[in-house]
């Protein structure tokens, strides 16, 4: 069996956004796989719900369990993955596959047929055939939703006032050439950039388009088939049809919408072009799910210190004028991987939460007459829907989930509530896994200052505890981002954990206080104290693992990204426990972060209950830069140059302090990348990043015969593309 390597990233396919057909027979999903160092191919695939990619249905993998399933599946082919069939061409980047109400068509967004990255709306026959483009709009297309009759679709695009005035938001003229950026760039908003892009006067607006529209170079009809729904400059989103003429959507409101958690929910009568503001909620983003009889499900967060609050699920009944909380008694916050959805009975709402290292799918009656019940708890879920015959309730629905677990990086599963079993529908990585050693992590709970903490240990492929000598293995410690996130044995870290173990490291990761999935008090435990509280839990876990005879306590290494980058830098400023460290995409100065980040600056206001001008010295003491002069640990810094979530400026400050104090350090910067570098960056960069982490650790490990990265040739030990070091 071959070990997992960093370069294997190119060989791993992942599913996303699975959607069950209206008749419950098929699933449309995205299959994503790198095709070179710069590009990930994302195309729409179909698979039958009654497909079974395993040797037989695994009845041991039952509803409401966390058991795993076999990976011994048939090999992939060029266009199929164990029963899955490719529906769209490998051209452009596809997203958001959505079945028409009749099930005969699938709408999706794609960058195909374009000279830039603007997404347009396409529709393809579900049984195969040529896709048809519906839009050619300046702002790109996202958040698509079918009308109940299937005669039109709603969508969101980001446009400027000039786009509206010239009609570019309806149809882009042939001679249009977008400017690279304004010169000079004038900023009149509190939040002026996000996701690697400046807004530059663009705001999200809602539109509808005729589902029979055709765009093929030139428009077939003399008038655009796209029509605006919203008519003023504001941030709108989450369009969702109720009945045939009622379109619901959200609007960010407040004295300064950029500086507010206040979200208005609107009901727009398309027949009369009248709009009613039917409710106001609060949150970071508010997905909607609506029924034809006027009930709207939406998420809600208490606005006071919102970042420390769990997300609840509410339902507005317009006829009764009442709002019901469905999750008030559930000590879990809603996850963002699957948006709340109505079941086929029209009376049950389904949603997901993080739940002690796994993703749980729940259901609850919309009238709040009963507490939520867990339908299944399985791995790390990255998308899903529920379906079934009209009127089907929780006892007979079918849920489809894109799930990864310790023994595979991702497949589509069907959860049959009536039969009480889970079936694996795809084997996307069967050929790859057939000759790779994949280690099973060991779950552990360890005691920290305020109680038990959940973590995992993964050992190298050749590990045999019975024959291991004392101190046989170095330890790599990983800290997750967030901070209010949750790690598991799978998800986006599957490849990294397995790669480090294959390089000879025992790998340890955990969900310290502040993590989601363990209740509200656990989430709130790091209020005004990110560093000390989290480090106490992480070090308690390190103590528990290094107590094992085969772990070399003197060869312990540390890394993490985002909040994990903050914690890595914080840790090496507080302790010499770690032989070397790699801080990735971190926040290193809280005041600098507050001034340079996107809308997440409110994370500081919520978690720390302060602002920089009120307690500047106090925030400096709680920043890694405030303790950087104490660092002796060799520390590699990794950052993305276009990161608007944790902008690179605080990494530059931290790096300079390390250099001025003679710390062995290096600063690796990735152009064209944002905050999602490690998850969805250019494949060459993803591989390069992981190889650099391992190479940095190897150079300071007594168990690896390797010079330090600073003493090696620039590209020694790296396989991904050209070297990026200065």
């Amino acid at each position: 069996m071959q070990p997992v390597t960093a370069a294997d990233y190119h060989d791993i396919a992942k599913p996303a956004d699975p959607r069950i057909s209206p008749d419950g027979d098929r699933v449309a999903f995205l299959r994503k796989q790198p095709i070179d160092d710069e590009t990930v191919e994302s195309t729409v695939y179909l698979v039958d719900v009654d497909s079974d990619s395993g040797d037989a249905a695994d009845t041991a993998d039952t509803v409401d369990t966390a058991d795993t399933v076999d990976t011994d599946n048939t090999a992939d082919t060029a266009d199929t993955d164990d029963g899955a069939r490719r529906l769209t061409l490998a051209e452009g980047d596809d997203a958001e596959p959505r079945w028409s109400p009749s099930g005969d068509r699938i709408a999706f967004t794609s960058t195909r047929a374009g000279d830039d990255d603007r997404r347009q709306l396409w529709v393809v026959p579900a049984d195969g055939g040529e896709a048809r483009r519906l839009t050619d709009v300046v702002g790109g297309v996202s958040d698509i939703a079918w009308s109940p009759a299937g005669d039109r679709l709603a969508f969101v695009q980001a446009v400027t006032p000039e786009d509206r005035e010239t009609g570019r938001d309806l149809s882009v003229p042939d001679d249009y050439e977008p400017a690279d950026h304004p010169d000079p760039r004038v900023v009149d908003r509190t939040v002026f950039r996000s996701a690697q892009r400046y807004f530059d006067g663009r705001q999200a607006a809602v539109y509808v388009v005729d589902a029979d529209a055709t765009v093929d170079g030139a428009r077939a009809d003399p008038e655009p088939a796209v029509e605006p729904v919203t008519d003023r400059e504001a941030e709108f989103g989450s369009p969702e049809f109720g009945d045939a003429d009622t379109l619901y959507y959200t609007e960010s409101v407040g004295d300064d919408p950029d500086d507010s958690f206040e979200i208005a929910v609107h009901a727009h009568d398309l027949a009369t072009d009248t709009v009613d503001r039917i409710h106001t909620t609060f949150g970071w983003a508010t997905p909607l799910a609506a029924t034809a009889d006027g009930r709207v499900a939406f998420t809600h967060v208490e606005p006071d210190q919102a970042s420390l609050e769990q997300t609840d699920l509410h339902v507005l009944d317009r006829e009764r004028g009442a709002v019901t909380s469905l999750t008030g008694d559930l000590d879990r916050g809603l996850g963002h991987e699957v948006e709340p959805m109505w079941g086929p009975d029209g009376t049950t709402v389904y949603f997901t939460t993080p739940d002690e290292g796994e993703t749980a799918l729940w259901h609850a009656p919309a009238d709040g007459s009963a507490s939520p019940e867990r339908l299944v708890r399985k791995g790390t879920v990255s998308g899903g829907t529920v379906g079934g015959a009209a009127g089907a309730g929780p006892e007979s629905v079918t849920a489809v989930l894109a799930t990864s677990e310790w023994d595979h990086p991702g497949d589509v599963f069907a959860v049959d509530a009536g039969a009480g079993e889970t079936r694996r529908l795809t084997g996307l990585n069967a050929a790859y896994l057939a000759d790779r050693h994949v280690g099973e992590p060991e779950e552990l709970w360890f005691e920290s200052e305020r109680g038990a903490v959940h973590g995992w240990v993964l050992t190298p492929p050749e590990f045999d505890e019975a024959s291991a000598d004392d101190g046989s293995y170095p330890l790599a410690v990983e800290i997750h981002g967030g901070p209010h996130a949750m790690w598991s044995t799978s998800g986006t870290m599957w490849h990294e954990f397995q790669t480090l173990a294959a390089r000879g490291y025992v790998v340890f990761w955990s969900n310290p206080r502040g993590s989601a999935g363990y209740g509200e008090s656990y989430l709130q435990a790091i209020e005004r104290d990110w560093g000390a509280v989290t480090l106490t839990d992480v070090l308690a876990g390190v103590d528990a693992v290094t107590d094992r005879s085969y772990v070399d306590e003197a060869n312990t290494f540390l890394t993490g990204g985002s909040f994990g980058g903050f914690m890595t830098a914080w840790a090496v400023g507080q302790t010499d426990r770690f032989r070397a460290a790699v801080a990735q995409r971190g926040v290193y100065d809280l005041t600098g972060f507050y001034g340079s980040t996107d809308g997440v600056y409110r994370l500081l206001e919520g978690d720390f209950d302060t602002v920089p001008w009120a307690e500047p010295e106090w925030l400096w003491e709680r920043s890694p830069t405030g303790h950087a002069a104490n660092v002796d640990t060799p520390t590699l810094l990794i950052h993305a140059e276009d990161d608007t979530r944790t902008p690179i400026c605080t990494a530059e400050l931290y790096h300079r302090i390390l250099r001025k104090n003679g710390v062995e350090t290096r600063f690796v910067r990735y152009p064209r990348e944002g905050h999602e570098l490690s998850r969805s960056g250019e494949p060459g960069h993803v591989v390069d990043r992981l190889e650099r982490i391992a190479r940095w650790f190897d150079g300071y490990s007594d168990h690896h015969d390797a010079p330090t990265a600073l003493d090696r040739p620039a590209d020694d030990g790296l396989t991904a593309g050209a070297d990026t070091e200065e």
Side-chain angles (χ1 to χ4, degrees), residues 360-384:
L361 175 64
W362 305 78
H363 60 85
D367 60 4
S369 58
S371 298
E373 293 186 16
R374 194 170 66 185
L375 178 64
V376 68
R377 179 172 175 265
K378 184 174 178 63
T380 300
V381 172
S382 59

Side-chain angles (χ1 to χ4, degrees), residues 387-411:
E395 70 286 347
S396 56
V397 300
T398 298
V400 294
L401 303 171
T403 304
S404 63
E405 296 162 291
W406 74 263
D407 56 353
H408 68 94
D411 271 309

